[in-house]
Amino acid sequence: MTNSDPVDEAYEHMLREHARLRGLLDELGRMLSERSAAITDVSGRFTELQALVSHHFRTEEESGCFGNMISHAPRVSERVEILIAEHGSMSVEIEELVVRASDCRGTHDDWEEIGRRFHRFCGRLMNHETVENELLQEVFTEDIGSKD
């Protein structure tokens, strides 16, 4: 029987969640660019995205992953605080997007506005997740010695 490392498990879990988020973002991006679905279907997928993002942020904050990063590498504490603060602003942004999408009637202007908002949110979220992934790799895979 092997004992698993909780830090490794948290790291792997976060990477799996990032992959799930990317998959849903890709799907929504296709739906918006192709306008291949009813606006109600798109709105429903935005609601699903909001739930996934909310769960993802809550899991990151409550799992101890951020705390583990700071314990393992105190030098990253300010960057971790910035990431946590971004969770709040992005949660508001996705909530506003869900509300706007649910109010859409499917006009050309609606599709354009929702597409712009989505791409802005998507860019922010992907940048955020990239920074998280890089920070995870820096903290848990780099050995900089005992003078951290």
Side-chain angles (χ1 to χ4, degrees):
M1 183 167 147
T2 62
N3 291 333
S4 57
D5 182 352
V7 171
D8 288 341
E9 287 178 15
Y11 175 75
E12 292 299 323
H13 178 76
M14 191 177 288
L15 291 178
R16 282 191 305 275
E17 291 229 337
H18 289 177
R20 286 180 55 211
L21 280 169
R22 279 190 306 277
L24 184 52
L25 291 170
D26 289 346
E27 180 184 351
L28 272 163
R30 278 190 304 279
M31 291 172 83
L32 289 167
S33 68
E34 297 170 1
R35 298 181 184 179
S36 60
I39 196 70
T40 54
D41 294 336
V42 173
S43 178
R45 298 302 278 170
F46 276 124
T47 300
E48 184 180 335
L49 177 63
Q50 180 185 26
L52 184 59
V53 167
S54 176
H55 175 264
H56 176 67
F57 288 165
R58 189 174 50 257
T59 299
E60 285 180 343
E61 292 171 13
E62 294 175 358
S63 70
C65 185
F66 287 132
N68 287 336
M69 280 195 271
I70 293 169
S71 295
H72 192 75
R75 70 187 184 282
V76 303
S77 63
E78 287 182 27
R79 289 187 281 169
V80 168
E81 289 173 18
I82 290 168
L83 290 170
I84 292 170
E86 288 176 352
H87 287 177
S89 64
M90 284 189 289
S91 293
V92 169
E93 189 174 352
I94 187 64
E95 181 177 349
E96 291 170 351
L97 186 53
V98 166
V99 168
R100 179 62 183 104
S102 68
D103 290 341
C104 283
R105 298 184 186 268
T107 66
H108 174 77
D109 289 343
D110 286 340
W111 281 101
E112 291 295 317
E113 181 184 352
I114 293 299
R116 278 191 306 275
R117 287 181 178 217
F118 169 74
H119 289 294
R120 184 175 53 240
F121 174 78
C122 189
R124 285 191 65 210
L125 182 62
M126 288 296 88
N127 183 62
H128 175 88
E129 298 304 321
T130 297
V131 170
E132 277 183 354
N133 287 339
E134 289 170 352
L135 194 57
L136 283 164
Q137 289 175 347
E138 176 186 333
V139 169
F140 294 121
T141 63
E142 291 181 5
D143 182 8
I144 63 170
S146 62
K147 304 264 188 209
D148 189 19

